[in-house]
Amino acid sequence: MKAAKAALREASLMRRDALTAEMRHAFSKEIAAHGEAAIAFSPGTIIAAFLPIRSEVDLQPLMHRLSERGAHLCLPVVLDRQTICFRQWQPGTDLVSTGFGTRGPGPDAAVVDPDILLVPLSAFDSRGNRIGYGAGHYDRAIARLHEKGCNPTLIGIAFDCQEVANVPHEPHDVALHAILTESGYKNFKT
């Protein structure tokens, strides 16, 4: 199963990498518009987002819109090779290098448990199964949240070109509640 996931990951990331910077920028703006309209929450809800690495979706336009609607935002921070946490962040706050090629809030920012988790991924299918980047950071973070009694809404963030016919899944894999791409927002769980 690892080999099948690795092959799907590689092919999907190659398609994503083939998008021009202009396409990624335009699609990220479309994702922000769809996400603003579709993601329901009350003011004060904690939403975990992420800043783009490599050719990922740029969530900054969506993050600003969610913040304007009253969301409290947080970003992932790599603590070690196995662990990420989510630190509180507001647009305009300074960021520091946080590992894995990412930037995020510094150690003075509060660690929080998100109510909604915007999840980066390399591939997804029409049933809400996802393939991450292979390090398992989000799988472990989601498992820790569940162990604490938290049950965040999991929304995958991707470009349409990252969809595959079937993601092989294992018992520890947690399916997404929804996916957000440039063509819209799709709920998997009702």
Side-chain angles (χ1 to χ4, degrees):
M1 187 161 312
K2 279 189 178 231
K5 283 185 175 182
L8 287 170
R9 179 184 301 115
E10 182 180 353
S12 180
L13 291 177
M14 285 178 61
R15 290 190 302 275
R16 188 182 78 185
D17 290 345
L19 296 173
T20 65
E22 293 79 16
M23 292 169 76
R24 287 194 308 272
H25 178 74
F27 291 163
S28 292
K29 288 173 80 173
E30 291 175 28
I31 287 167
H34 292 304
E36 180 181 24
I39 299 173
F41 64 92
S42 302
T45 298
I46 301 172
I47 301 178
F50 58 89
L51 296 174
I53 57 172
R54 299 183 294 270
S55 58
E56 284 181 333
V57 171
D58 183 356
L59 281 180
Q60 292 175 91
L62 177 59
M63 291 162 56
H64 287 280
R65 292 177 183 197
L66 297 175
S67 177
E68 289 170 357
R69 286 180 44 205
H72 292 182
L73 300 176
C74 60
L75 294 171
V77 174
V78 178
L79 298 177
D80 58 47
R81 295 179 65 93
Q82 298 291 313
T83 311
I84 62 172
C85 72
F86 298 95
R87 289 186 184 153
Q88 200 166 32
W89 177 81
Q90 293 178 352
T93 304
D94 289 337
L95 301 170
V96 299
S97 176
T98 55
F100 201 60
T102 64
R103 296 175 304 128
D108 293 339
V111 174
V112 295
D113 295 330
D115 303 303
I116 298 173
L117 188 54
L118 305 181
V119 183
L121 52 86
S122 60
F124 69 95
D125 67 21
S126 64
R127 291 170 303 288
N129 298 307
R130 67 176 272 278
I131 299 175
Y133 292 120
H137 285 113
Y138 274 83
D139 294 327
R140 286 187 297 279
I142 292 165
R144 276 192 306 280
L145 288 167
H146 287 168
E147 287 169 7
K148 292 169 75 172
C150 302
N151 192 24
T153 300
L154 307 175
I155 303 172
I157 304 294
F159 296 116
D160 286 331
C161 68
Q162 294 174 252
E163 185 171 358
V164 297
N166 183 44
V167 168
H169 55 280
E170 301 172 79
H172 71 271
D173 291 330
V174 177
L176 301 166
H177 295 99
I179 188 78
L180 176 60
T181 71
E182 70 271 20
S183 64
Y185 183 88
K186 178 181 179 185
N187 260 324
F188 298 118
K189 308 204 184 220
T190 53

